[in-house]
Amino acid sequence: MGHVEIPESDISGPVGLAGAPRPRTAGSRNHTVAPQQLWRAPTTGERDHAERPRARKSPGPRVPFLVLTDLVGLGVPAWLVLRAGDQPDPSAAAASAALVWAGVRAARGRYARRLPGEAAGAAYASSGDWLALVGVLAVLLAVTGRGLDPATAVAALVPGLAVAVLVGAAGRLRRTAGRRGGRRVLVVGEAAGLDRAVNLLNSRTDHPYTAVAVVPVGPAVPACATPAPGRLGPKHADDDVSTVLGGAFAHDADLVLVAPGPQLDDDRLRRLAWGLHDGGLALCVLSELSGVAAARVRPASAAGLTLLHVAPPLRSGPQAALKAVVDRAGAALGLLVLAPLFIGVALAVRLSSPGPVFHRQTRHGLHNRPFTMWKFRTMVADAESLRERLSAENESEGPMFKMRRDPRVTRIGHALRRTSVDELPQLLNVLRGDMSLVGPRPPLPEEVSRYDERELRRLAVRPGLTGLWQVSGRSDLSWQETVSLDLWYVDNWSVATDMGLLARTVRAVTDGRGAY
């Protein structure tokens, strides 16, 4: 049917666009009309096609500018370095390197327009391009027999990488600033899927999408308070497209997000896509692959089906090896640079209250193996024995013990916890290989004993000194929120993700939210 009465809803009248002329009913359809006439874009409300709001497109990358930047950014410094190093024919070598650099960048899609919410780490992406450049040039030098000094040649290419990283980072900042208003989204779907999409989109700010209106499918009433300018019946009707287009126009939406379900089958979704694209609106289909990063998904087609290949989580290979190297090198450098701070904090802890400087505690790490974790002591010496008395004051609904005003915390301990300085001795654990710089929070044995199968998956990677929980609210997070963040990291981590989380940790530690 084309429309039904809407029970217990603020939408009056028949299904369709609220306030628009009454759509055609099932009985008034002309079944003799040719398909190409039946499925042209509806004209409910006689809105002129030229007046329809088009999908707002963020300015595409200025390809000539980006190509010129890569050519000049690598070519000029390379020429200067090769000339200073008395290398043969520096002009031709620098020009060849610059052209190969632009070719590598183009082949790897660095000049292509990115979709909203699609991001690539500037440093990680450019580093991969640069390594590919070095490999290509090494082959060319071997084939042509040019007598360039390898060390000088590599040094000549380094400034080009620095320029690419800076330009990429600047472009990402510009795109972020340019989409502060975000994409205005009209969500279409059955009540359950619609509520889930709207609640997730509007409860977080780390993406450019805002759900401004919904069009429910079927008689169920969504629980979200988002405006509903229309409704689709449980089965396909001729006015589906006009209802969705009208709702998008009424709320100035530039993107339609469809949450598929039994009442939105393939055929109905395909016909809706035709009408939306003809009407100038972008379409996005919600996937059920929640918790899977876009970089792990690769679309393919087979037998007329659209397939999504999901890559397995990283557990070994070059990125895992690089992560181990970064962990050990970063921990060693951190211990060396922070040695004066360690001495000052140790004196403050020792003089502020009786007891040892460090607190050693058994935690569980990779594959549920126990290890001894080090921290600066922030509580009184007999804190563990006092915990049983405070069990009734636990503010966490999960296996963790959390208490906003824990009486066991010393005066200097409050300051150390707020700044996360008490966690810095865990660099020793990172250096030993028990922990990583980035990863899930290391749990206590009694917490692990209460884990279910889902929560045990947090132990599939090494625990971290910082992680998603650290930059997303720390102790202010509920147990389920903490588990969800950790599981996302376990399945989707990459070296680029780690670098981003380390950078965000600085900001999280500075504002001190959720640290107690």
Side-chain angles (χ1 to χ4, degrees), residues 452-473:
D452 58 23
E453 182 181 2
R454 172 173 175 265
E455 293 160 346
L456 279 172
R457 188 166 175 79
R458 300 171 72 238
L459 305 177
V461 299
R462 284 185 175 84
L465 181 63
T466 185
L468 271 175
W469 52 274
Q470 176 87 351
V471 302
S472 304

Side-chain angles (χ1 to χ4, degrees), residues 54 75 92 112 125 200 208 246 253 258 339 346 373 495:
R54 295 281 178 172
L200 289 175
V258 176
M373 189 183 77
V495 173

Side-chain angles (χ1 to χ4, degrees), residues 353-356 359 377 379-390 407-410:
S353 65
H359 175 62
R377 182 173 58 84
M379 292 185 175
V380 295
D382 58 344
E384 291 297 327
S385 62
L386 296 175
R387 177 173 169 177
E388 289 298 324
R389 305 181 192 175
L390 300 172
R408 300 173 299 166
V409 180
T410 64

Side-chain angles (χ1 to χ4, degrees), residues 145-404:
R146 285 183 175 271
L148 293 178
D149 176 56
T152 305
V154 171
L157 302 177
V158 172
L161 172 61
V163 171
V165 169
L166 291 174
V167 171
R172 189 172 178 182
L173 289 174
R174 177 180 60 81
R175 289 192 298 272
T176 300
R179 66 176 185 237
R180 283 175 183 168
R183 299 293 299 271
R184 296 176 61 85
V185 179
L186 172 75
V187 185
V188 179
E190 297 174 35
L194 186 148
D195 283 334
R196 175 174 172 270
V198 171
N199 291 337
L200 289 175
L201 288 177
N202 290 352
S203 64
R204 297 177 58 173
T205 59
D206 56 350
H207 60 84
Y209 302 98
T210 302
V212 296
V214 299
V215 173
V217 178
V221 178
C224 63
T226 310
R231 176 187 295 272
L232 302 184
K235 295 184 179 180
H236 164 71
D238 293 353
D239 59 295
D240 281 358
V241 174
S242 63
T243 299
V244 176
L245 282 176
F249 298 151
H251 291 271
D252 198 21
D254 54 15
L255 176 69
V256 174
L257 173 63
V258 176
Q263 299 178 64
L264 268 175
D265 57 19
D266 291 347
D267 183 68
R268 193 176 191 186
L269 180 57
R270 181 166 55 249
R271 294 173 186 273
L272 182 60
W274 294 342
L276 293 178
H277 290 153
D278 288 346
L281 275 176
L283 171 67
C284 184
V285 179
L286 181 66
S287 168
E288 292 297 323
L289 291 174
S290 298
V292 178
R296 291 176 55 208
V297 180
R298 178 174 57 87
S301 296
L305 301 173
T306 300
L307 310 178
L308 297 178
H309 288 267
V310 181
L314 292 172
R315 295 290 183 264
S316 59
Q319 289 222 47
L322 180 58
K323 180 180 175 72
V325 171
V326 171
D327 283 342
R328 303 293 177 89
L333 180 62
L335 289 170
L336 182 64
V337 172
L338 296 173
L341 176 63
F342 275 47
I343 295 173
V345 173
L347 288 173
V349 172
R350 187 68 182 87
L351 297 175
S352 63
S353 65
V357 169
F358 295 102
H359 175 62
R360 292 178 295 177
Q361 197 174 46
T362 299
R363 299 285 181 124
H364 281 234
L366 178 65
H367 303 320
N368 206 9
R369 289 196 293 263
F371 69 95
T372 301
M373 189 183 77
W374 291 69
K375 296 177 64 175
F376 282 118
R377 182 173 58 84
T378 60
M379 292 185 175
V380 295
D382 58 344
E384 291 297 327
S385 62
L386 296 175
R387 177 173 169 177
E388 289 298 324
R389 305 181 192 175
L390 300 172
S391 58
E393 306 294 328
N394 186 13
E395 298 175 10
S396 171
E397 81 282 8
M400 288 191 300
F401 180 87
K402 293 192 302 185
M403 192 173 174
R404 189 175 297 273

Side-chain angles (χ1 to χ4, degrees), residues 74-112:
L74 186 133
V76 172
W79 174 71
L80 292 174
V81 173
L82 293 174
R83 184 180 179 186
D86 293 326
Q87 298 300 304
D89 204 359
S91 298
S96 301
L99 290 173
V100 173
W101 176 235
V104 169
R105 300 274 285 171
R108 294 169 67 91
R110 305 310 177 203
Y111 305 135

